[in-house]
Amino acid sequence: MRDTRSRVRAGAVAAAVALALTGCGGSSEDSGTGASSPPADATVIEVSAVEYAYTATPAEVSAGTITFELTNDGAMSHDLVLEEDPGGATAVIGPGETDSFTVDLEPGSYTLYCSVGNHRALGMEMVLVVG
């Protein structure tokens, strides 16, 4: 009986520690509370999301550090996900909100899409050419 109580207590302590560590995590990427400042050497691509479409400025960039800044100009929640390596994503944001993420990209073509519901299947996808 004592052994069982010790295991239960140890499990509870482990769960509490895991929960505390989860709340303390940090990230260099923005967490959906608003766009952070991109690195000084980053190319900023401003992306507007509306229902089932993105528009981006510019649509083609040079290789290097790229910051994707998503503004939700639609009425539904959206995000922006970089499919290929190195990957990256914004938080799912509501109407009027902005979020961003920064990655280093080599020359090539990269697919970005909305992972919310079936938005991608409805056309919320774009290709960025990095030269």
PDB file of all heavy atoms in Angstrom, residues 66-110:
ATOM      1  N   ILE A  66      14.161  35.662 -43.850  1.00  0.00           N
ATOM      2  CA  ILE A  66      12.849  36.117 -44.301  1.00  0.00           C
ATOM      3  C   ILE A  66      11.907  36.144 -43.105  1.00  0.00           C
ATOM      4  O   ILE A  66      11.799  35.157 -42.371  1.00  0.00           O
ATOM      5  CB  ILE A  66      12.240  35.172 -45.358  1.00  0.00           C
ATOM      6  CG1 ILE A  66      13.233  34.813 -46.453  1.00  0.00           C
ATOM      7  CG2 ILE A  66      10.928  35.735 -45.899  1.00  0.00           C
ATOM      8  CD1 ILE A  66      13.589  35.912 -47.394  1.00  0.00           C
ATOM      9  N   THR A  67      11.207  37.253 -42.916  1.00  0.00           N
ATOM     10  CA  THR A  67      10.155  37.343 -41.909  1.00  0.00           C
ATOM     11  C   THR A  67       8.817  37.389 -42.624  1.00  0.00           C
ATOM     12  O   THR A  67       8.605  38.240 -43.488  1.00  0.00           O
ATOM     13  CB  THR A  67      10.314  38.591 -41.025  1.00  0.00           C
ATOM     14  OG1 THR A  67      11.527  38.472 -40.279  1.00  0.00           O
ATOM     15  CG2 THR A  67       9.150  38.736 -40.052  1.00  0.00           C
ATOM     16  N   PHE A  68       7.948  36.442 -42.301  1.00  0.00           N
ATOM     17  CA  PHE A  68       6.582  36.423 -42.825  1.00  0.00           C
ATOM     18  C   PHE A  68       5.701  37.096 -41.792  1.00  0.00           C
ATOM     19  O   PHE A  68       5.627  36.645 -40.640  1.00  0.00           O
ATOM     20  CB  PHE A  68       6.110  34.984 -43.061  1.00  0.00           C
ATOM     21  CG  PHE A  68       6.849  34.280 -44.151  1.00  0.00           C
ATOM     22  CD1 PHE A  68       7.943  33.481 -43.860  1.00  0.00           C
ATOM     23  CD2 PHE A  68       6.451  34.428 -45.472  1.00  0.00           C
ATOM     24  CE1 PHE A  68       8.633  32.826 -44.868  1.00  0.00           C
ATOM     25  CE2 PHE A  68       7.130  33.775 -46.492  1.00  0.00           C
ATOM     26  CZ  PHE A  68       8.225  32.983 -46.188  1.00  0.00           C
ATOM     27  N   GLU A  69       5.046  38.182 -42.181  1.00  0.00           N
ATOM     28  CA  GLU A  69       4.154  38.906 -41.275  1.00  0.00           C
ATOM     29  C   GLU A  69       2.730  38.771 -41.791  1.00  0.00           C
ATOM     30  O   GLU A  69       2.366  39.339 -42.816  1.00  0.00           O
ATOM     31  CB  GLU A  69       4.559  40.372 -41.200  1.00  0.00           C
ATOM     32  CG  GLU A  69       3.761  41.163 -40.183  1.00  0.00           C
ATOM     33  CD  GLU A  69       4.292  42.570 -40.041  1.00  0.00           C
ATOM     34  OE1 GLU A  69       5.335  42.735 -39.380  1.00  0.00           O
ATOM     35  OE2 GLU A  69       3.665  43.484 -40.606  1.00  0.00           O
ATOM     36  N   LEU A  70       1.935  37.983 -41.086  1.00  0.00           N
ATOM     37  CA  LEU A  70       0.561  37.701 -41.490  1.00  0.00           C
ATOM     38  C   LEU A  70      -0.395  38.653 -40.789  1.00  0.00           C
ATOM     39  O   LEU A  70      -0.361  38.794 -39.570  1.00  0.00           O
ATOM     40  CB  LEU A  70       0.186  36.263 -41.125  1.00  0.00           C
ATOM     41  CG  LEU A  70      -1.265  35.868 -41.415  1.00  0.00           C
ATOM     42  CD1 LEU A  70      -1.529  35.822 -42.917  1.00  0.00           C
ATOM     43  CD2 LEU A  70      -1.598  34.535 -40.758  1.00  0.00           C
ATOM     44  N   THR A  71      -1.258  39.302 -41.576  1.00  0.00           N
ATOM     45  CA  THR A  71      -2.349  40.104 -41.038  1.00  0.00           C
ATOM     46  C   THR A  71      -3.647  39.472 -41.493  1.00  0.00           C
ATOM     47  O   THR A  71      -3.830  39.203 -42.683  1.00  0.00           O
ATOM     48  CB  THR A  71      -2.276  41.566 -41.530  1.00  0.00           C
ATOM     49  OG1 THR A  71      -1.036  42.128 -41.096  1.00  0.00           O
ATOM     50  CG2 THR A  71      -3.428  42.391 -40.965  1.00  0.00           C
ATOM     51  N   ASN A  72      -4.541  39.223 -40.549  1.00  0.00           N
ATOM     52  CA  ASN A  72      -5.821  38.616 -40.882  1.00  0.00           C
ATOM     53  C   ASN A  72      -6.809  39.736 -41.231  1.00  0.00           C
ATOM     54  O   ASN A  72      -7.337  40.414 -40.364  1.00  0.00           O
ATOM     55  CB  ASN A  72      -6.338  37.777 -39.712  1.00  0.00           C
ATOM     56  CG  ASN A  72      -7.592  37.021 -40.075  1.00  0.00           C
ATOM     57  OD1 ASN A  72      -8.251  37.308 -41.065  1.00  0.00           O
ATOM     58  ND2 ASN A  72      -7.931  36.043 -39.256  1.00  0.00           N
ATOM     59  N   ASP A  73      -7.025  39.924 -42.528  1.00  0.00           N
ATOM     60  CA  ASP A  73      -7.970  40.917 -43.024  1.00  0.00           C
ATOM     61  C   ASP A  73      -9.330  40.299 -43.318  1.00  0.00           C
ATOM     62  O   ASP A  73     -10.189  40.949 -43.912  1.00  0.00           O
ATOM     63  CB  ASP A  73      -7.409  41.583 -44.292  1.00  0.00           C
ATOM     64  CG  ASP A  73      -6.173  42.423 -43.988  1.00  0.00           C
ATOM     65  OD1 ASP A  73      -6.196  43.176 -43.004  1.00  0.00           O
ATOM     66  OD2 ASP A  73      -5.169  42.310 -44.736  1.00  0.00           O
ATOM     67  N   GLY A  74      -9.517  39.052 -42.923  1.00  0.00           N
ATOM     68  CA  GLY A  74     -10.776  38.354 -43.156  1.00  0.00           C
ATOM     69  C   GLY A  74     -11.668  38.375 -41.932  1.00  0.00           C
ATOM     70  O   GLY A  74     -11.406  39.074 -40.948  1.00  0.00           O
ATOM     71  N   ALA A  75     -12.710  37.574 -41.981  1.00  0.00           N
ATOM     72  CA  ALA A  75     -13.680  37.487 -40.887  1.00  0.00           C
ATOM     73  C   ALA A  75     -13.547  36.193 -40.095  1.00  0.00           C
ATOM     74  O   ALA A  75     -14.211  36.027 -39.076  1.00  0.00           O
ATOM     75  CB  ALA A  75     -15.097  37.596 -41.461  1.00  0.00           C
ATOM     76  N   MET A  76     -12.686  35.268 -40.560  1.00  0.00           N
ATOM     77  CA  MET A  76     -12.487  33.978 -39.905  1.00  0.00           C
ATOM     78  C   MET A  76     -11.047  33.895 -39.400  1.00  0.00           C
ATOM     79  O   MET A  76     -10.196  34.670 -39.817  1.00  0.00           O
ATOM     80  CB  MET A  76     -12.734  32.841 -40.905  1.00  0.00           C
ATOM     81  CG  MET A  76     -14.104  32.868 -41.554  1.00  0.00           C
ATOM     82  SD  MET A  76     -14.207  31.733 -42.957  1.00  0.00           S
ATOM     83  CE  MET A  76     -14.307  30.189 -42.097  1.00  0.00           C
ATOM     84  N   SER A  77     -10.754  32.931 -38.538  1.00  0.00           N
ATOM     85  CA  SER A  77      -9.387  32.712 -38.070  1.00  0.00           C
ATOM     86  C   SER A  77      -8.545  32.076 -39.163  1.00  0.00           C
ATOM     87  O   SER A  77      -9.037  31.253 -39.939  1.00  0.00           O
ATOM     88  CB  SER A  77      -9.390  31.810 -36.838  1.00  0.00           C
ATOM     89  OG  SER A  77     -10.009  32.467 -35.758  1.00  0.00           O
ATOM     90  N   HIS A  78      -7.255  32.470 -39.222  1.00  0.00           N
ATOM     91  CA  HIS A  78      -6.312  31.944 -40.211  1.00  0.00           C
ATOM     92  C   HIS A  78      -4.930  31.839 -39.590  1.00  0.00           C
ATOM     93  O   HIS A  78      -4.648  32.448 -38.554  1.00  0.00           O
ATOM     94  CB  HIS A  78      -6.230  32.863 -41.441  1.00  0.00           C
ATOM     95  CG  HIS A  78      -7.513  33.038 -42.166  1.00  0.00           C
ATOM     96  ND1 HIS A  78      -8.133  32.018 -42.849  1.00  0.00           N
ATOM     97  CD2 HIS A  78      -8.313  34.123 -42.316  1.00  0.00           C
ATOM     98  CE1 HIS A  78      -9.253  32.462 -43.397  1.00  0.00           C
ATOM     99  NE2 HIS A  78      -9.386  33.743 -43.088  1.00  0.00           N
ATOM    100  N   ASP A  79      -4.047  31.101 -40.261  1.00  0.00           N
ATOM    101  CA  ASP A  79      -2.633  31.075 -39.920  1.00  0.00           C
ATOM    102  C   ASP A  79      -1.839  30.996 -41.211  1.00  0.00           C
ATOM    103  O   ASP A  79      -2.411  31.006 -42.302  1.00  0.00           O
ATOM    104  CB  ASP A  79      -2.283  29.924 -38.966  1.00  0.00           C
ATOM    105  CG  ASP A  79      -2.446  28.537 -39.566  1.00  0.00           C
ATOM    106  OD1 ASP A  79      -2.914  28.405 -40.720  1.00  0.00           O
ATOM    107  OD2 ASP A  79      -2.119  27.553 -38.880  1.00  0.00           O
ATOM    108  N   LEU A  80      -0.522  30.942 -41.090  1.00  0.00           N
ATOM    109  CA  LEU A  80       0.367  30.818 -42.243  1.00  0.00           C
ATOM    110  C   LEU A  80       1.433  29.803 -41.876  1.00  0.00           C
ATOM    111  O   LEU A  80       2.149  29.981 -40.883  1.00  0.00           O
ATOM    112  CB  LEU A  80       1.004  32.168 -42.577  1.00  0.00           C
ATOM    113  CG  LEU A  80       1.888  32.212 -43.818  1.00  0.00           C
ATOM    114  CD1 LEU A  80       1.060  31.997 -45.081  1.00  0.00           C
ATOM    115  CD2 LEU A  80       2.635  33.535 -43.897  1.00  0.00           C
ATOM    116  N   VAL A  81       1.520  28.720 -42.651  1.00  0.00           N
ATOM    117  CA  VAL A  81       2.445  27.623 -42.377  1.00  0.00           C
ATOM    118  C   VAL A  81       3.384  27.457 -43.556  1.00  0.00           C
ATOM    119  O   VAL A  81       2.935  27.390 -44.708  1.00  0.00           O
ATOM    120  CB  VAL A  81       1.672  26.302 -42.135  1.00  0.00           C
ATOM    121  CG1 VAL A  81       2.639  25.144 -41.910  1.00  0.00           C
ATOM    122  CG2 VAL A  81       0.711  26.441 -40.978  1.00  0.00           C
ATOM    123  N   LEU A  82       4.685  27.380 -43.280  1.00  0.00           N
ATOM    124  CA  LEU A  82       5.695  27.090 -44.300  1.00  0.00           C
ATOM    125  C   LEU A  82       5.883  25.588 -44.338  1.00  0.00           C
ATOM    126  O   LEU A  82       6.296  24.971 -43.342  1.00  0.00           O
ATOM    127  CB  LEU A  82       7.010  27.786 -43.958  1.00  0.00           C
ATOM    128  CG  LEU A  82       8.191  27.497 -44.875  1.00  0.00           C
ATOM    129  CD1 LEU A  82       7.913  27.979 -46.303  1.00  0.00           C
ATOM    130  CD2 LEU A  82       9.447  28.138 -44.326  1.00  0.00           C
ATOM    131  N   GLU A  83       5.560  24.978 -45.484  1.00  0.00           N
ATOM    132  CA  GLU A  83       5.550  23.517 -45.591  1.00  0.00           C
ATOM    133  C   GLU A  83       6.944  22.903 -45.616  1.00  0.00           C
ATOM    134  O   GLU A  83       7.207  21.911 -44.944  1.00  0.00           O
ATOM    135  CB  GLU A  83       4.772  23.117 -46.847  1.00  0.00           C
ATOM    136  CG  GLU A  83       4.596  21.634 -47.008  1.00  0.00           C
ATOM    137  CD  GLU A  83       3.610  21.301 -48.091  1.00  0.00           C
ATOM    138  OE1 GLU A  83       3.880  21.600 -49.270  1.00  0.00           O
ATOM    139  OE2 GLU A  83       2.547  20.766 -47.752  1.00  0.00           O
ATOM    140  N   GLU A  84       7.848  23.443 -46.405  1.00  0.00           N
ATOM    141  CA  GLU A  84       9.167  22.838 -46.583  1.00  0.00           C
ATOM    142  C   GLU A  84      10.123  23.245 -45.461  1.00  0.00           C
ATOM    143  O   GLU A  84       9.877  24.195 -44.728  1.00  0.00           O
ATOM    144  CB  GLU A  84       9.771  23.272 -47.935  1.00  0.00           C
ATOM    145  CG  GLU A  84       9.039  22.743 -49.142  1.00  0.00           C
ATOM    146  CD  GLU A  84       7.834  23.601 -49.543  1.00  0.00           C
ATOM    147  OE1 GLU A  84       7.655  24.708 -49.023  1.00  0.00           O
ATOM    148  OE2 GLU A  84       7.060  23.130 -50.378  1.00  0.00           O
ATOM    149  N   ASP A  85      11.264  22.504 -45.369  1.00  0.00           N
ATOM    150  CA  ASP A  85      12.305  22.853 -44.401  1.00  0.00           C
ATOM    151  C   ASP A  85      12.803  24.256 -44.692  1.00  0.00           C
ATOM    152  O   ASP A  85      12.936  24.615 -45.852  1.00  0.00           O
ATOM    153  CB  ASP A  85      13.473  21.861 -44.495  1.00  0.00           C
ATOM    154  CG  ASP A  85      13.151  20.530 -43.841  1.00  0.00           C
ATOM    155  OD1 ASP A  85      12.265  20.492 -42.981  1.00  0.00           O
ATOM    156  OD2 ASP A  85      13.803  19.537 -44.205  1.00  0.00           O
ATOM    157  N   PRO A  86      13.011  25.065 -43.693  1.00  0.00           N
ATOM    158  CA  PRO A  86      13.101  24.748 -42.279  1.00  0.00           C
ATOM    159  C   PRO A  86      11.767  24.777 -41.554  1.00  0.00           C
ATOM    160  O   PRO A  86      11.711  24.588 -40.344  1.00  0.00           O
ATOM    161  CB  PRO A  86      14.014  25.845 -41.740  1.00  0.00           C
ATOM    162  CG  PRO A  86      13.685  27.028 -42.574  1.00  0.00           C
ATOM    163  CD  PRO A  86      13.403  26.464 -43.948  1.00  0.00           C
ATOM    164  N   GLY A  87      10.676  25.010 -42.256  1.00  0.00           N
ATOM    165  CA  GLY A  87       9.359  25.061 -41.620  1.00  0.00           C
ATOM    166  C   GLY A  87       9.198  26.308 -40.773  1.00  0.00           C
ATOM    167  O   GLY A  87      10.134  27.052 -40.532  1.00  0.00           O
ATOM    168  N   GLY A  88       7.995  26.537 -40.366  1.00  0.00           N
ATOM    169  CA  GLY A  88       7.675  27.684 -39.524  1.00  0.00           C
ATOM    170  C   GLY A  88       6.188  27.950 -39.635  1.00  0.00           C
ATOM    171  O   GLY A  88       5.536  27.469 -40.563  1.00  0.00           O
ATOM    172  N   ALA A  89       5.663  28.714 -38.704  1.00  0.00           N
ATOM    173  CA  ALA A  89       4.233  29.013 -38.738  1.00  0.00           C
ATOM    174  C   ALA A  89       3.914  30.162 -37.801  1.00  0.00           C
ATOM    175  O   ALA A  89       4.606  30.380 -36.808  1.00  0.00           O
ATOM    176  CB  ALA A  89       3.415  27.792 -38.340  1.00  0.00           C
ATOM    177  N   THR A  90       2.841  30.855 -38.137  1.00  0.00           N
ATOM    178  CA  THR A  90       2.278  31.818 -37.207  1.00  0.00           C
ATOM    179  C   THR A  90       1.300  31.074 -36.306  1.00  0.00           C
ATOM    180  O   THR A  90       0.951  29.922 -36.570  1.00  0.00           O
ATOM    181  CB  THR A  90       1.494  32.931 -37.943  1.00  0.00           C
ATOM    182  OG1 THR A  90       0.363  32.354 -38.603  1.00  0.00           O
ATOM    183  CG2 THR A  90       2.368  33.671 -38.935  1.00  0.00           C
ATOM    184  N   ALA A  91       0.827  31.754 -35.305  1.00  0.00           N
ATOM    185  CA  ALA A  91      -0.285  31.241 -34.512  1.00  0.00           C
ATOM    186  C   ALA A  91      -1.553  31.388 -35.346  1.00  0.00           C
ATOM    187  O   ALA A  91      -1.578  32.141 -36.324  1.00  0.00           O
ATOM    188  CB  ALA A  91      -0.415  32.042 -33.215  1.00  0.00           C
ATOM    189  N   VAL A  92      -2.598  30.685 -34.980  1.00  0.00           N
ATOM    190  CA  VAL A  92      -3.906  30.914 -35.586  1.00  0.00           C
ATOM    191  C   VAL A  92      -4.399  32.232 -35.002  1.00  0.00           C
ATOM    192  O   VAL A  92      -4.473  32.384 -33.778  1.00  0.00           O
ATOM    193  CB  VAL A  92      -4.888  29.766 -35.275  1.00  0.00           C
ATOM    194  CG1 VAL A  92      -6.271  30.091 -35.798  1.00  0.00           C
ATOM    195  CG2 VAL A  92      -4.376  28.456 -35.867  1.00  0.00           C
ATOM    196  N   ILE A  93      -4.702  33.187 -35.881  1.00  0.00           N
ATOM    197  CA  ILE A  93      -5.088  34.520 -35.422  1.00  0.00           C
ATOM    198  C   ILE A  93      -6.483  34.885 -35.897  1.00  0.00           C
ATOM    199  O   ILE A  93      -6.940  34.423 -36.935  1.00  0.00           O
ATOM    200  CB  ILE A  93      -4.066  35.589 -35.862  1.00  0.00           C
ATOM    201  CG1 ILE A  93      -3.910  35.627 -37.389  1.00  0.00           C
ATOM    202  CG2 ILE A  93      -2.723  35.349 -35.188  1.00  0.00           C
ATOM    203  CD1 ILE A  93      -3.039  36.760 -37.907  1.00  0.00           C
ATOM    204  N   GLY A  94      -7.128  35.705 -35.128  1.00  0.00           N
ATOM    205  CA  GLY A  94      -8.471  36.148 -35.443  1.00  0.00           C
ATOM    206  C   GLY A  94      -8.468  37.382 -36.326  1.00  0.00           C
ATOM    207  O   GLY A  94      -7.414  37.966 -36.617  1.00  0.00           O
ATOM    208  N   PRO A  95      -9.650  37.821 -36.753  1.00  0.00           N
ATOM    209  CA  PRO A  95      -9.785  39.004 -37.598  1.00  0.00           C
ATOM    210  C   PRO A  95      -9.099  40.220 -36.967  1.00  0.00           C
ATOM    211  O   PRO A  95      -9.227  40.469 -35.775  1.00  0.00           O
ATOM    212  CB  PRO A  95     -11.299  39.211 -37.685  1.00  0.00           C
ATOM    213  CG  PRO A  95     -11.865  37.844 -37.457  1.00  0.00           C
ATOM    214  CD  PRO A  95     -10.947  37.200 -36.468  1.00  0.00           C
ATOM    215  N   GLY A  96      -8.326  40.931 -37.802  1.00  0.00           N
ATOM    216  CA  GLY A  96      -7.645  42.139 -37.352  1.00  0.00           C
ATOM    217  C   GLY A  96      -6.336  41.909 -36.636  1.00  0.00           C
ATOM    218  O   GLY A  96      -5.624  42.860 -36.327  1.00  0.00           O
ATOM    219  N   GLU A  97      -5.965  40.664 -36.373  1.00  0.00           N
ATOM    220  CA  GLU A  97      -4.727  40.374 -35.654  1.00  0.00           C
ATOM    221  C   GLU A  97      -3.567  40.160 -36.619  1.00  0.00           C
ATOM    222  O   GLU A  97      -3.761  39.883 -37.796  1.00  0.00           O
ATOM    223  CB  GLU A  97      -4.901  39.141 -34.770  1.00  0.00           C
ATOM    224  CG  GLU A  97      -5.894  39.347 -33.649  1.00  0.00           C
ATOM    225  CD  GLU A  97      -6.043  38.133 -32.764  1.00  0.00           C
ATOM    226  OE1 GLU A  97      -5.975  36.987 -33.271  1.00  0.00           O
ATOM    227  OE2 GLU A  97      -6.238  38.336 -31.556  1.00  0.00           O
ATOM    228  N   THR A  98      -2.351  40.274 -36.079  1.00  0.00           N
ATOM    229  CA  THR A  98      -1.123  40.090 -36.847  1.00  0.00           C
ATOM    230  C   THR A  98      -0.188  39.183 -36.066  1.00  0.00           C
ATOM    231  O   THR A  98      -0.128  39.263 -34.843  1.00  0.00           O
ATOM    232  CB  THR A  98      -0.439  41.454 -37.095  1.00  0.00           C
ATOM    233  OG1 THR A  98      -1.321  42.280 -37.854  1.00  0.00           O
ATOM    234  CG2 THR A  98       0.863  41.301 -37.864  1.00  0.00           C
ATOM    235  N   ASP A  99       0.541  38.329 -36.774  1.00  0.00           N
ATOM    236  CA  ASP A  99       1.563  37.487 -36.163  1.00  0.00           C
ATOM    237  C   ASP A  99       2.655  37.269 -37.204  1.00  0.00           C
ATOM    238  O   ASP A  99       2.436  37.481 -38.403  1.00  0.00           O
ATOM    239  CB  ASP A  99       0.965  36.150 -35.708  1.00  0.00           C
ATOM    240  CG  ASP A  99       1.899  35.385 -34.773  1.00  0.00           C
ATOM    241  OD1 ASP A  99       2.801  36.002 -34.174  1.00  0.00           O
ATOM    242  OD2 ASP A  99       1.732  34.165 -34.638  1.00  0.00           O
ATOM    243  N   SER A 100       3.835  36.838 -36.762  1.00  0.00           N
ATOM    244  CA  SER A 100       4.939  36.659 -37.703  1.00  0.00           C
ATOM    245  C   SER A 100       5.857  35.531 -37.263  1.00  0.00           C
ATOM    246  O   SER A 100       5.808  35.088 -36.119  1.00  0.00           O
ATOM    247  CB  SER A 100       5.740  37.957 -37.823  1.00  0.00           C
ATOM    248  OG  SER A 100       6.349  38.290 -36.593  1.00  0.00           O
ATOM    249  N   PHE A 101       6.692  35.080 -38.209  1.00  0.00           N
ATOM    250  CA  PHE A 101       7.774  34.151 -37.905  1.00  0.00           C
ATOM    251  C   PHE A 101       8.907  34.428 -38.875  1.00  0.00           C
ATOM    252  O   PHE A 101       8.704  34.975 -39.964  1.00  0.00           O
ATOM    253  CB  PHE A 101       7.327  32.679 -37.954  1.00  0.00           C
ATOM    254  CG  PHE A 101       6.931  32.161 -39.318  1.00  0.00           C
ATOM    255  CD1 PHE A 101       7.840  31.475 -40.105  1.00  0.00           C
ATOM    256  CD2 PHE A 101       5.643  32.341 -39.791  1.00  0.00           C
ATOM    257  CE1 PHE A 101       7.467  30.981 -41.350  1.00  0.00           C
ATOM    258  CE2 PHE A 101       5.254  31.850 -41.032  1.00  0.00           C
ATOM    259  CZ  PHE A 101       6.181  31.166 -41.822  1.00  0.00           C
ATOM    260  N   THR A 102      10.122  34.083 -38.465  1.00  0.00           N
ATOM    261  CA  THR A 102      11.324  34.366 -39.243  1.00  0.00           C
ATOM    262  C   THR A 102      12.077  33.072 -39.489  1.00  0.00           C
ATOM    263  O   THR A 102      12.233  32.257 -38.579  1.00  0.00           O
ATOM    264  CB  THR A 102      12.216  35.373 -38.492  1.00  0.00           C
ATOM    265  OG1 THR A 102      11.473  36.583 -38.294  1.00  0.00           O
ATOM    266  CG2 THR A 102      13.491  35.682 -39.257  1.00  0.00           C
ATOM    267  N   VAL A 103      12.538  32.889 -40.747  1.00  0.00           N
ATOM    268  CA  VAL A 103      13.306  31.707 -41.132  1.00  0.00           C
ATOM    269  C   VAL A 103      14.419  32.113 -42.087  1.00  0.00           C
ATOM    270  O   VAL A 103      14.367  33.183 -42.691  1.00  0.00           O
ATOM    271  CB  VAL A 103      12.422  30.635 -41.815  1.00  0.00           C
ATOM    272  CG1 VAL A 103      11.444  30.026 -40.835  1.00  0.00           C
ATOM    273  CG2 VAL A 103      11.688  31.212 -43.004  1.00  0.00           C
ATOM    274  N   ASP A 104      15.417  31.258 -42.229  1.00  0.00           N
ATOM    275  CA  ASP A 104      16.466  31.433 -43.229  1.00  0.00           C
ATOM    276  C   ASP A 104      16.151  30.501 -44.387  1.00  0.00           C
ATOM    277  O   ASP A 104      16.032  29.292 -44.190  1.00  0.00           O
ATOM    278  CB  ASP A 104      17.845  31.105 -42.649  1.00  0.00           C
ATOM    279  CG  ASP A 104      18.297  32.152 -41.642  1.00  0.00           C
ATOM    280  OD1 ASP A 104      18.054  33.353 -41.888  1.00  0.00           O
ATOM    281  OD2 ASP A 104      18.883  31.780 -40.608  1.00  0.00           O
ATOM    282  N   LEU A 105      15.996  31.060 -45.587  1.00  0.00           N
ATOM    283  CA  LEU A 105      15.625  30.264 -46.761  1.00  0.00           C
ATOM    284  C   LEU A 105      16.704  30.286 -47.824  1.00  0.00           C
ATOM    285  O   LEU A 105      17.271  31.336 -48.129  1.00  0.00           O
ATOM    286  CB  LEU A 105      14.313  30.782 -47.355  1.00  0.00           C
ATOM    287  CG  LEU A 105      13.083  30.702 -46.458  1.00  0.00           C
ATOM    288  CD1 LEU A 105      11.853  31.252 -47.193  1.00  0.00           C
ATOM    289  CD2 LEU A 105      12.832  29.278 -45.997  1.00  0.00           C
ATOM    290  N   GLU A 106      16.959  29.113 -48.379  1.00  0.00           N
ATOM    291  CA  GLU A 106      17.862  28.934 -49.518  1.00  0.00           C
ATOM    292  C   GLU A 106      17.058  29.167 -50.801  1.00  0.00           C
ATOM    293  O   GLU A 106      15.828  29.144 -50.774  1.00  0.00           O
ATOM    294  CB  GLU A 106      18.424  27.504 -49.508  1.00  0.00           C
ATOM    295  CG  GLU A 106      19.234  27.162 -48.273  1.00  0.00           C
ATOM    296  CD  GLU A 106      20.534  27.946 -48.185  1.00  0.00           C
ATOM    297  OE1 GLU A 106      21.143  28.207 -49.247  1.00  0.00           O
ATOM    298  OE2 GLU A 106      20.934  28.298 -47.063  1.00  0.00           O
ATOM    299  N   PRO A 107      17.732  29.350 -51.947  1.00  0.00           N
ATOM    300  CA  PRO A 107      16.986  29.483 -53.212  1.00  0.00           C
ATOM    301  C   PRO A 107      16.092  28.266 -53.460  1.00  0.00           C
ATOM    302  O   PRO A 107      16.459  27.139 -53.140  1.00  0.00           O
ATOM    303  CB  PRO A 107      18.096  29.570 -54.265  1.00  0.00           C
ATOM    304  CG  PRO A 107      19.271  30.135 -53.523  1.00  0.00           C
ATOM    305  CD  PRO A 107      19.176  29.519 -52.136  1.00  0.00           C
ATOM    306  N   GLY A 108      14.906  28.519 -54.006  1.00  0.00           N
ATOM    307  CA  GLY A 108      13.966  27.452 -54.306  1.00  0.00           C
ATOM    308  C   GLY A 108      12.540  27.952 -54.249  1.00  0.00           C
ATOM    309  O   GLY A 108      12.285  29.147 -54.121  1.00  0.00           O
ATOM    310  N   SER A 109      11.604  27.030 -54.337  1.00  0.00           N
ATOM    311  CA  SER A 109      10.179  27.348 -54.240  1.00  0.00           C
ATOM    312  C   SER A 109       9.653  26.804 -52.920  1.00  0.00           C
ATOM    313  O   SER A 109       9.957  25.671 -52.533  1.00  0.00           O
ATOM    314  CB  SER A 109       9.401  26.699 -55.387  1.00  0.00           C
ATOM    315  OG  SER A 109       9.766  27.299 -56.605  1.00  0.00           O
ATOM    316  N   TYR A 110       8.849  27.602 -52.252  1.00  0.00           N
ATOM    317  CA  TYR A 110       8.319  27.245 -50.944  1.00  0.00           C
ATOM    318  C   TYR A 110       6.803  27.405 -50.940  1.00  0.00           C
ATOM    319  O   TYR A 110       6.281  28.400 -51.439  1.00  0.00           O
ATOM    320  CB  TYR A 110       8.936  28.131 -49.857  1.00  0.00           C
ATOM    321  CG  TYR A 110      10.422  27.910 -49.704  1.00  0.00           C
ATOM    322  CD1 TYR A 110      11.335  28.612 -50.495  1.00  0.00           C
ATOM    323  CD2 TYR A 110      10.912  26.988 -48.791  1.00  0.00           C
ATOM    324  CE1 TYR A 110      12.701  28.399 -50.368  1.00  0.00           C
ATOM    325  CE2 TYR A 110      12.274  26.767 -48.657  1.00  0.00           C
ATOM    326  CZ  TYR A 110      13.166  27.482 -49.454  1.00  0.00           C
ATOM    327  OH  TYR A 110      14.514  27.257 -49.330  1.00  0.00           O
TER     328      TYR A 110
END
